[in-house]
Amino acid sequence: MNLHLKVWRQKNKNAKGKFVDYEAKDISTDTSFLEMLDVVNEELIKKGEEPIAFDHDCREGICGSCGMYINGRAHGPQVGAATCQLHMRSFKDGDTIVIEPWRAKAFPVIKDLVVDRSAFDRIMAAGGFISVNTGGAPDANALPIPKDVQESAIDAAACIGCGACVAACKNASSMLFVSAKVAHLARLPQGKPEREKRVMAMVAQMEEEGFGACTNTEACSAECPKEIPMDVIAQLRREYIRAFAKSEEKV
Amino acid sequence: MSGFFRFIDSSVGKKIVMALTGLFIILFLVEHLAGNLLLLLNDNGKIFEEYSAFMAGSLNIPVRIVEIGLFFFIIYHIVNGVRLWWGNRVARGFSYKVNDPSENSTFFSRFMIWGGTIVFIFLVIHLRTFFFPYRLGNPSNTMYEGAVEAFSNPYYSIFYIIALIFLAFHLVHGFQSAFQSLGIRYNKYTAIIKNFGIVFSILLCAGFALIPLYFLFNAGGN
C-alpha cells in the first residue's frame, strides 16, 4: 500500500516546527506503524536527509515510549494498543496520515515526534514509591492479600506511563496516570505507610508540572493502551479528600 | 494560603467545588421548577402569587439564608469553572492539527464551558425580567402577570426553550461528573448514576420548557 504522510518536524526544543509531506511506498499491511516509519526513514537516509525522530524501545506494547498522535488519536485508531501494536492494515491504500507529537505544555517537544516526559518521572519521585526493607526475599505469603484486591491493584499497575492520557485529554491532564499510581499503591498493604503523603505530594507535583485538571471527559481511559479504568480517578479523589481530612495542618 | 483554601483551590479541590456547588444548584432547580409549575394551575396565578409571596417574605429567614448561599454558590461555580477552563487551555499549549475527540469522549463533556456560558447569559436576562423588578423594584403588575406578558412574546419564549436545551446539555455531563469528582464511582452504581442523570436532565428542562410553551399557545392563561 501507498500512503501520504504529514509529519511534524522540529529541529530542537526551541526551533519552530512544521508539517512536512512524505510518501510511504510499497508498505505491507502486516508492518507495524513504527516499521512503516523505519521504511520511510531508510529512504530519507538514502537521500541524505535527516530521518524522522520518534521514541521507541520494546516494540511490544510494554515500554510506553512510542507516543505519537496519529490522525487525531493517541497511538492511532486501534483501541487498547500502543503505536508499535498498530498495524498498517488499520489504514487504507492512499490514506493521508497526520502524525504529531504529544501536545502538552508539560511535555515539551525535544525533536520531531519526541517529547520530554520527565514530568512523569518527577511526579513518581514525589511519592510514587513505598518504603521497604531490602535484604532477603520475604516469605511469599507472609502478607495475606485477597485475590480481588491484588487483581484490582494490578489493573491500576498496568499503567506504562506512556502519556496517551495527557495527549488525548482536552485539558492535557495527567490525572489517569497519577491516579493509576496512587490507586495501585493505596490498594495494597505495602502502600499504606505513605498513603496520605503520597497522594498529596503527587497531586502537588502534577500541578507544578503544568498539567491540566481532570473534567471527567473520560478520553484518557478510552485512549489508554492498557485500558486503565476511570474508577482509579475516583479513588484518587477519595484518597485526596481522606488525606486532607486526616492532615494535622491547621484549617 | 492555609490548608483548607489550598485544598479547595487544588486541581482536585476545584472539581470538588464544582461538584458541590453544581449539585446545590440542581437542588435549587428542582425546587424552582416545583414552584413555577404552579403557574400552570388554571387560577389566574392565585396560588403561584401566594407561593412567591411566601418565598420572597423578608421574615422567611431560612429561605433568605439559602438565597444568599445560592447566589454565592452560583458565582463561585461560574468563576471556578472559567478558571478551570482557562488553566486547562494553557496546559495544552499547542493545539493539534488533526484531533478527533468524538472517538473518545462525549460532546456534552467537551461542551461544558460553552453550555455554561449560554446558561449564564440566560440567567442574567432571566434575573432582569423577573428577579430584579419583582423582588427589588416597584413592579406595576404581579409576577404572574409579568410571566404571562413575557412568555406571550414568541421570541422570548423561544429564547427560553433554547437556553433550557443548553441547560440540559450542561446537566447531562454535569450530573454524573459531580459524582465522579467527589470520588463516588463504584462499578455497580456507575450506570445508574449516568442514566438517572440523563433522564433527570431531560425531565427537568422539559418541565421548565412547559411554562413558556403553555403561555405561548395559551396567551392570557385562561
Side-chain angles (χ1 to χ4, degrees):
Chain A
M1 62 198 299
N2 297 313
L3 301 150
H4 314 289
L5 308 183
K6 280 186 189 299
V7 185
W8 181 260
R9 301 302 306 264
Q10 183 172 336
K11 231 183 172 60
N12 57 51
K13 206 168 175 167
N14 304 316
K16 213 169 125 48
K18 63 175 196 299
F19 284 95
V20 179
D21 291 354
Y22 297 100
E23 298 298 320
K25 290 200 175 77
D26 299 323
I27 303 292
S28 156
T29 50
D30 293 332
T31 54
S32 77
F33 199 86
L34 297 185
E35 286 164 341
M36 182 276 294
L37 287 178
D38 291 338
V39 171
V40 172
N41 274 346
E42 291 284 345
E43 286 300 311
L44 290 178
I45 292 164
K46 264 189 226 160
K47 282 192 281 184
E49 290 177 34
E50 180 86 9
I52 301 160
F54 61 93
D55 260 334
H56 59 97
D57 189 19
C58 75
R59 299 203 176 204
E60 53 186 7
I62 196 61
C63 75
S65 58
C66 55
M68 50 186 87
Y69 218 67
I70 302 161
N71 278 353
R73 305 281 304 277
H75 292 136
Q78 183 110 352
V79 173
T83 309
C84 58
Q85 296 164 298
L86 172 68
H87 288 81
M88 299 315 292
R89 53 181 168 269
S90 299
F91 299 90
K92 288 196 299 288
D93 186 40
D95 271 0
T96 299
I97 305 175
V98 179
I99 312 170
E100 300 172 69
W102 286 169
R103 297 289 189 196
K105 210 184 86 196
F107 284 166
V109 175
I110 299 170
K111 187 175 182 175
D112 300 344
L113 304 173
V114 182
V115 298
D116 178 0
R117 279 174 283 198
S118 58
F120 273 10
D121 299 336
R122 291 187 290 275
I123 292 173
M124 289 304 280
F129 51 83
I130 57 167
S131 300
V132 288
N133 290 323
T134 55
D139 185 40
N141 295 314
L143 200 54
I145 302 168
K147 190 168 187 299
D148 58 330
V149 172
Q150 175 240 7
E151 275 178 357
S152 80
I154 295 300
D155 284 348
C159 169
I160 53 176
C162 64
C165 44
V166 176
C169 175
K170 78 174 179 61
N171 310 322
S173 171
S174 61
M175 195 65 143
L176 192 68
F177 165 75
V178 178
S179 301
K181 301 304 173 190
V182 166
H184 159 213
L185 297 174
R187 287 171 185 181
L188 292 172
Q190 292 92 334
K192 298 288 192 265
E194 291 101 348
R195 187 173 172 186
E196 292 84 21
K197 237 164 94 181
R198 174 185 306 116
V199 64
M200 285 296 193
M202 289 180 83
V203 168
Q205 189 65 35
M206 167 179 93
E207 290 166 2
E208 167 103 23
E209 298 291 346
F211 291 106
C214 171
T215 58
N216 306 329
T217 69
E218 310 194 3
C220 51
S221 185
E223 297 290 2
C224 175
K226 297 297 157 192
E227 302 180 295
I228 305 284
M230 283 297 290
D231 64 350
V232 297
I233 296 185
Q235 178 161 10
L236 179 134
R237 265 99 177 223
R238 295 197 296 275
E239 295 291 330
Y240 197 77
I241 295 167
R242 186 178 174 280
F244 171 72
K246 288 187 74 178
S247 76
E248 297 286 331
E249 203 181 0
K250 268 197 198 138
V251 173
Chain B
M1 267 193 294
S2 77
F4 178 72
F5 292 101
R6 217 169 41 239
F7 172 74
I8 62 167
D9 218 44
S10 67
S11 59
V12 178
K14 279 201 194 89
K15 285 295 292 175
I16 292 171
V17 166
M18 289 312 274
L20 293 176
T21 53
L23 290 173
F24 184 82
I25 297 167
I26 286 174
L27 281 180
F28 159 73
L29 288 175
V30 172
E31 182 283 317
H32 195 35
L33 174 63
N36 283 11
L37 287 177
L38 297 174
L39 284 165
L40 304 185
L41 296 174
N42 207 0
D43 64 352
N44 276 323
K46 189 170 167 292
I47 295 176
F48 176 78
E49 285 301 329
E50 278 172 30
Y51 157 76
S52 49
F54 168 75
M55 291 304 277
S58 51
L59 290 174
N60 194 343
I61 306 294
V63 172
R64 294 287 73 75
I65 293 170
V66 173
E67 187 176 55
I68 293 165
L70 178 65
F71 273 102
F72 175 73
F73 289 144
I74 288 175
I75 292 165
Y76 199 164
H77 190 84
I78 294 166
V79 171
N80 208 42
V82 171
R83 286 176 65 211
L84 267 169
W85 168 74
W86 181 251
N88 287 343
R89 251 183 79 94
V90 170
R92 165 103 306 139
F94 199 103
S95 334
Y96 291 108
K97 180 185 169 75
V98 178
N99 200 3
D100 197 359
S102 62
E103 289 289 335
N104 56 38
S105 53
T106 63
F107 162 77
F108 305 109
S109 71
R110 288 175 270 116
F111 195 67
M112 292 304 276
I113 186 73
W114 308 117
T117 304
I118 292 164
V119 174
F120 171 67
I121 294 166
F122 163 79
L123 178 68
V124 172
I125 294 170
H126 179 64
L127 291 178
R128 240 188 83 84
T129 312
F130 294 108
F131 185 81
F132 292 121
Y134 291 95
R135 278 296 300 284
L136 308 175
N138 288 313
S140 56
N141 57 1
T142 65
M143 206 171 194
Y144 176 81
E145 289 161 353
V148 173
E149 191 191 318
F151 293 129
S152 306
N153 178 349
Y155 296 108
Y156 197 82
S157 285
I158 288 166
F159 165 70
Y160 253 61
I161 291 160
I162 291 170
L164 286 165
I165 292 170
F166 283 108
L167 176 64
F169 284 7
H170 200 69
L171 293 181
V172 162
H173 177 72
F175 187 89
Q176 56 98 359
S177 176
F179 288 86
Q180 170 78 1
S181 292
L182 294 171
I184 304 168
R185 185 189 182 108
Y186 300 93
N187 288 337
K188 60 178 173 178
Y189 306 124
T190 306
I192 299 172
I193 292 173
K194 284 193 174 180
N195 294 331
F196 178 83
I198 293 168
V199 173
F200 171 83
S201 310
I202 294 168
L203 287 182
L204 184 87
C205 296
F208 275 116
L210 270 181
I211 296 162
L213 282 173
Y214 177 80
F215 288 116
L216 190 58
F217 292 109
N218 194 8
N222 40 45

